[in-house]
Structure formats: structure tokens, C-alpha cells
């Protein structure tokens, strides 16, 4: 036997037992985004590497350490997308979707990051995301957050997630604060760990979400971003808070919330849960008014989020919110005896014409009655339709109910079809 080839570490197969849970998540998402009037956008999984460096920022974890980057046969540097926003913006600019227009978009698909695989953290994972372009007012921030809140309710997990909010102000205010924070950190280098020391020089705001308790203690005396906010930024955030309150959405303001990607300004938010252990963020996003311009478009406000679907599916499983999602076969069609296969395939097609929603599986490969019924049972079928030589001669089919006590019956093909149409 030759050596087996395994999947790449951190990249999962989604097996037949798992796909119903994913399908449920996906169809719920599609329904909810449609109810807000959003349109789907699909972009390639590979992009030119500089797109991510410019959009996400050179000194973020994602670009520094996590991207799958390689040269293709032409020597171009390409990267598998680590997130969805950059490509949405790129496509929007390239196809003239953004200039002087409002766009409410959503996407779903695999993302790639070379991280250490663990529960809730993979190298290929899936995100659903929305991006709104061309609307600067806080109503959009509220609408998008309300959409995410609606999804939690649809999934029945609204009790298990909490909304954290913060504002980073305008890019100028953020830059002024960054300088002050950097000076403070430089003056206290001896109290910082290696990671925070490095970030002090490359991306000081990231020190704020250090998990190290000693660093957190030091930060109690650090300058706070709120003191650097101008009137406009404060008003934007106050409007968002008011809109969320009037919509009945509870939130907590977390002044340390800065987000890992460089592009945010004004509102940032995360939905966090404690039912997943360390990987507690299930959805994260915010405003990124500078990004379109940074990628070569005209200045255009943007707001969006990314939702990690593996973490959502894990949550639904651990909270037992999935119910019985097995897509059991309804009718298993047995064909017993010489020359019955033709009639069975024909009848199967006839039933699918008449009842397109019925899940009908035809037995293939012959074998005796007992063997075929065993297969029906294995597939969790509700009934078996049996076509033997006698049935075919009389234009009939035998119906055997595999659950409950109902007696086996013979009926005409028309009656059998009617039975299926009525939902058995
Ligand atoms: P984390 O702090 O967990 O690393 P992040 O800040 O890197 O998250 P974002 O870039 O904001 O995450 O991505 C949005 C969401 O995508 C996350 O909240 C999470 O649900 C999901 N996500 C991010 N990275 C992974 C991963 N490697 N595996 C699975 N899901 C992920
Ligand atoms: Mg990360």
C-alpha cells in the first residue's frame, strides 16, 4: 500500500455529518442579509500581496506572521486572503462601485492564516462579512451591529454573546494619541514583556490588548484615548450608543478594544463569548473611512464586520442549538428481481417530477429484499417503496413503513406518488 496523504495541518474537511450544521448557518445568513437589502460580492481567494500589506498594515500580526505568501510562475508575489475587507475594497474601486454611491455588500468564504492550530483557530477558516460603503453616519454602524444581533437571535445564542464597543476617533486623533502612548510606553520599557516592547515601536496601540497582567497593570496609568477625541468623534460615538440603546441592544464600552488590523477609525466592536474558551471573539468589525483612499480610490467611508463561522458552529454545537439536522432520506426505492432496475429508475424520476422536495434514494446494485431493506434502514428512510416482478406486472408498488406501526400496503403508482406529495 502506498503512503496516505493527509490534509494540510489546520485545514479541515467538512464531513457529511457536519455539513447540515454549516448549511443551516449559511441559509440563515443569506436570509438575514437579504432582509436588510444587502448584495453578495465574490472575490478571488488569491490577491496581489501588496493589497493586504497596504490595507491591513505592514506591522500587524496578520501581515507580519500569518499570511500564506508565495511567488507564482511569473515571479509575482501573491497571498491567500487572510480576511475579506481588502478584496471588497479593491473590487469596489476596480469596478467603479464606490465612487459617489452607497453600497451594502456581504461575502462568505474561506480565509487563510498561518497560525498555530487549536480549538477555534485554524489555518483555513471561514468568514461571513458585511461591508457598507459611502455612508459616514452612525446609523450605518447601528444597522450593521443590529444585523449581527439579529443573527444571534436567529441562532438562539443571544444570551451567550456580549457586545463590546469602543471608538478610536479620527485618524488624526488616533495618531496624536498613538504618539503620547508611545512616549509613555518608552518611559516604562522595563515593565514590558518582549512582545509589548516590540509593539511599542511598531504598533503601540496593540499593547493595549496585551494579555499580560503586569502590562495591564501598567496601562492603568497610561494616557487614555478618550481624552484625545474631538467633538465630532464624541458625537458620532454618542449617536451610535443612543441608537443601540433605543433598539434594545446591550453593550459594554471597552476602552482597551483596538482591534488587530490597522485600518479602523471611529467605531470598533467585538461580539465575545465565554462558551469557547480562549478563542472568545466570534464577530469583529468597525469603521474604516480611510481605506478606500489608501487603496487608490476616492475618499469613501466604510463600515463592516467579519464573523468567524467555525467559532459560530462550535458554539451552536456546544450549546446544543442544532437540533436534529440529519437530512435523512424519506423514500428508499428497492428494485428486487430481474429487469426491475429500469422500472425503478423510471419511477424515481416520475416521483421527483411530481414531488421535487422529496428526498428519494434508489437502491443500486441489486441483491435480495432483505439486503435492500437493510440499506433503507441505514439511510434512515421513512418508507421503502418496493418494485418486484409482480408489482411491475400489476402496475403497482409495495409501500413498507419503516417507522411506526403502519401496515405494509400495495398501491398503484399514482397512489404512491400522491402519498409522497402529501408528505408521506
Ligand atoms: P483573534 O484575536 O481571535 O486572533 P482576530 O482579531 O485575528 O481574532 P479578525 O481578523 O477580526 O480576528 O477576524 C474576524 C473573526 O474571524 C474573528 O473574530 C474570529 O471569529 C475569526 N477568526 C480569525 N482568525 C481565525 C482563525 N485562525 N481561525 C478561525 N477563526 C478565525
Ligand atoms: Mg488573529
Amino acid at each position: 500500500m502506498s503512503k496516505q496523504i493527509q490534509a494540510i495541518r489546520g485545514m479541515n474537511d467538512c464531513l457529511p455529518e457536519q455539513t447540515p450544521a454549516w448549511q443551516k448557518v449559511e441559509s440563515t445568513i443569506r436570509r438575514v442579509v437579504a432582509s436588510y437589502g444587502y448584495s453578495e460580492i465574490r472575490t478571488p481567494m488569491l490577491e496581489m500581496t501588496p493589497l493586504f500589506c497596504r490595507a491591513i498594515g505592514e506591522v500587524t500580526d496578520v501581515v507580519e506572521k500569518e499570511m500564506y505568501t508565495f511567488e507564482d510562475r511569473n515571479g509575482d508575489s501573491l497571498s491567500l486572503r487572510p480576511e475579506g475587507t481588502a478584496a471588497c475594497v479593491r473590487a469596489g474601486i476596480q469596478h467603479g462601485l464606490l465612487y459617489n454611491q452607497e453600497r451594502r455588500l456581504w461575502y462568505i468564504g474561506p480565509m487563510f492564516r498561518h497560525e498555530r492550530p487549536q480549538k477555534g483557530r485554524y489555518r483555513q477558516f471561514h468568514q461571513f462579512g458585511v461591508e457598507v460603503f459611502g455612508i459616514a453616519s452612525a446609523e450605518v454602524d447601528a444597522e450593521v451591529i443590529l444585523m449581527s444581533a439579529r443573527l444571534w437571535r436567529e441562532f438562539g445564542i443571544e444570551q451567550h454573546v456580549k457586545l463590546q464597543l469602543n471608538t478610536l476617533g479620527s485618524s488624526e486623533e488616533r495618531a496624536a494619541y498613538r504618539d503620547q502612548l508611545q512616549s509613555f510606553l518608552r518611559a516604562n520599557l522595563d515593565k514590558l514583556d518582549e512582545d509589548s516592547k516590540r509593539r511599542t515601536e511598531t504598533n503601540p496601540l496593540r499593547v493595549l490588548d496585551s494579555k499580560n497582567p503586569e502590562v495591564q497593570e501598567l496601562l492603568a496609568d497610561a494616557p487614555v484615548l478618550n481624552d484625545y477625541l474631538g467633538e465630532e468623534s464624541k458625537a458620532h460615538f454618542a449617536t451610535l450608543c443612543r441608537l443601540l440603546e433605543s433598539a434594545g441592544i446591550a453593550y459594554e464600552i471597552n476602552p482597551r478594544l483596538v482591534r488587530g488590523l490597522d485600518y479602523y477609525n471611529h467605531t470598533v466592536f467585538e461580539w465575545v463569548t465565554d462558551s469557547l474558551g480562549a478563542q472568545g471573539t466570534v464577530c469583529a468589525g468597525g469603521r474604516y473611512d480611510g481605506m478606500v483612499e489608501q487603496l487608490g480610490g476616492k475618499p469613501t467611508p466604510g463600515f463592516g464586520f467579519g464573523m468567524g463561522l467555525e467559532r459560530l458552529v462550535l458554539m451552536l454545537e456546544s450549546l446544543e442549538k442544532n437540533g436534529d439536522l440529519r437530512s435523512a432520506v424519506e423514500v428508499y426505492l428497492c428494485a428486487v428481481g430481474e429487469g426491475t432496475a429500469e422500472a425503478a429508475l423510471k419511477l424515481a424520476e416520475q416521483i421527483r417530477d411530481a414531488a421535487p422536495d422529496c428526498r428519494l434514494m434508489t437502491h443500486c446494485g441489486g441483491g435480495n429484499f432483505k439486503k435492500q431493506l437493510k440499506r433503507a434502514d441505514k439511510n434512515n428512510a421513512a418508507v421503502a417503496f418496493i418494485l418486484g416482478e409482480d408489482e411491475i406486472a400489476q402496475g403497482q408498488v409495495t409501500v413498507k413503513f419503516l417507522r411506526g406501526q403502519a401496515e405494509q400496503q400495495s398501491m398503484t403508482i399514482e397512489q404512491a406518488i400522491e402519498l409522497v406529495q402529501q408528505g408521506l
Side-chain angles (χ1 to χ4, degrees):
M1 243 196 320
S2 52
K3 194 170 180 285
Q4 276 185 23
I5 297 173
Q6 305 280 321
I8 299 167
R9 205 163 106 82
M11 303 207 180
N12 300 320
D13 298 306
C14 189
L15 299 177
E17 301 80 65
Q18 299 161 328
T19 46
W22 281 84
Q23 287 170 354
K24 181 183 144 183
V25 164
E26 289 159 8
S27 61
T28 306
I29 286 171
R30 280 173 209 283
R31 185 161 41 74
V32 168
V33 289
S35 77
Y36 285 76
Y38 284 52
S39 312
E40 185 180 5
I41 183 163
R42 301 186 185 192
T43 64
M45 263 171 267
L46 272 177
E47 296 276 354
M48 296 293 192
T49 303
L51 172 68
F52 301 116
C53 301
R54 265 163 76 183
I56 300 171
E58 293 277 3
V59 291
T60 52
D61 285 352
V62 171
V63 169
E64 265 183 332
K65 307 190 281 214
E66 297 172 359
M67 280 215 292
Y68 278 90
T69 298
F70 60 94
E71 276 190 10
D72 74 356
R73 289 171 196 272
N74 304 329
D76 290 325
S77 177
L78 308 182
S79 295
L80 282 165
R81 60 181 186 193
E83 54 92 64
T85 307
C88 274
V89 173
R90 197 261 315 132
I93 297 170
Q94 185 174 337
H95 302 286
L97 306 183
L98 307 182
Y99 182 53
N100 257 344
Q101 299 177 59
E102 289 181 1
R103 291 279 174 182
R104 297 173 199 221
L105 307 175
W106 68 277
Y107 61 82
I108 194 166
M111 306 294 161
F112 303 84
R113 297 186 192 178
H114 196 276
E115 303 196 69
R116 194 170 68 77
Q118 51 196 292
K119 185 182 172 199
R121 192 177 292 287
Y122 311 99
R123 291 182 171 173
Q124 175 176 317
F125 62 101
H126 295 77
Q127 275 184 356
F128 150 63
V130 310
E131 315 289 355
V132 180
F133 296 101
I135 309 175
S137 76
E139 285 144 87
V140 158
D141 308 27
E143 172 177 287
V144 169
I145 292 174
L146 283 174
M147 182 199 282
S148 54
R150 176 172 296 278
L151 279 162
W152 310 137
R153 292 198 301 278
E154 290 277 340
F155 292 121
I157 56 173
E158 70 275 19
Q159 302 299 332
H160 303 273
V161 287
K162 285 207 179 80
L163 175 61
Q164 299 206 335
L165 278 186
N166 193 20
T167 176
L168 303 176
S170 67
S171 47
E172 297 76 33
E173 291 155 5
R174 184 179 155 163
Y177 172 66
R178 181 187 185 278
D179 290 346
Q180 291 303 309
L181 179 65
Q182 193 169 47
S183 307
F184 170 85
L185 294 171
R186 281 176 178 160
N188 290 284
L189 273 190
D190 53 324
K191 300 188 186 98
L192 296 178
D193 53 38
E194 282 312 308
D195 226 25
S196 301
K197 271 186 196 151
R198 193 173 51 84
R199 284 180 172 160
T200 295
E201 295 312 314
T202 57
N203 196 350
L205 257 65
R206 283 306 304 276
V207 178
L208 295 181
D209 61 15
S210 163
K211 305 270 189 301
N212 183 335
E214 280 163 42
V215 174
Q216 282 299 333
E217 204 172 304
L218 171 68
L219 287 171
D221 302 324
V224 282
L225 181 53
N226 202 45
D227 297 339
Y228 293 78
L229 297 181
E231 285 314 310
E232 245 178 81
S233 297
K234 283 185 182 158
H236 184 100
F237 195 56
T239 306
L240 171 62
C241 293
R242 184 168 45 76
L243 291 170
L244 291 177
E245 277 156 34
S246 78
I249 302 294
Y251 60 85
E252 186 183 296
I253 294 176
N254 174 359
R256 303 270 165 84
L257 182 66
V258 292
R259 306 286 306 114
L261 316 180
D262 241 3
Y263 47 59
Y264 293 108
N265 66 315
H266 290 301
T267 312
V268 287
F269 72 97
E270 285 191 359
W271 286 98
V272 295
T273 178
D274 44 25
S275 43
L276 282 180
Q279 269 51 256
T281 307
V282 280
C283 175
R287 187 161 275 287
Y288 50 85
D289 295 336
M291 192 188 328
V292 176
E293 200 178 3
Q294 201 175 317
L295 293 180
K298 298 259 178 9
T300 307
F303 190 94
F305 68 67
M307 187 180 285
L309 298 185
E310 277 76 6
R311 291 184 196 176
L312 176 58
V313 169
L314 275 171
M315 252 186 104
L316 294 175
E317 272 167 17
S318 72
L319 296 167
E320 296 177 2
K321 295 288 177 187
N322 279 338
D324 188 7
L325 287 171
R326 277 179 311 170
S327 46
V329 165
E330 287 161 304
V331 179
Y332 193 87
L333 181 56
C334 306
V336 190
E338 275 301 300
T340 53
E342 290 86 346
L345 279 184
K346 234 169 89 183
L347 176 60
E349 291 302 311
Q350 227 179 324
I351 295 174
R352 292 187 185 110
D353 286 341
D357 291 333
C358 173
R359 287 190 301 274
L360 176 144
M361 189 182 274
T362 309
H363 182 87
C364 294
N368 63 26
F369 180 63
K370 203 170 148 208
K371 174 179 161 191
Q372 296 198 23
L373 269 191
K374 248 192 190 157
R375 279 289 161 74
D377 201 46
K378 232 184 166 163
N379 284 291
N380 289 312
V383 299
F385 283 6
I386 300 143
L387 274 183
E389 287 159 47
D390 290 350
E391 279 90 352
I392 291 172
Q394 292 158 18
Q396 291 212 317
V397 58
T398 299
V399 177
K400 188 171 167 61
F401 296 91
L402 302 173
R403 294 180 215 148
Q405 304 298 320
E407 286 283 313
Q408 175 169 319
Q409 291 175 29
S410 279
M411 52 181 86
T412 65
I413 302 278
E414 290 70 31
Q415 283 169 328
I417 289 176
E418 213 167 285
L419 183 72
V420 175
Q421 282 175 323
Q422 285 160 6
L424 301 168

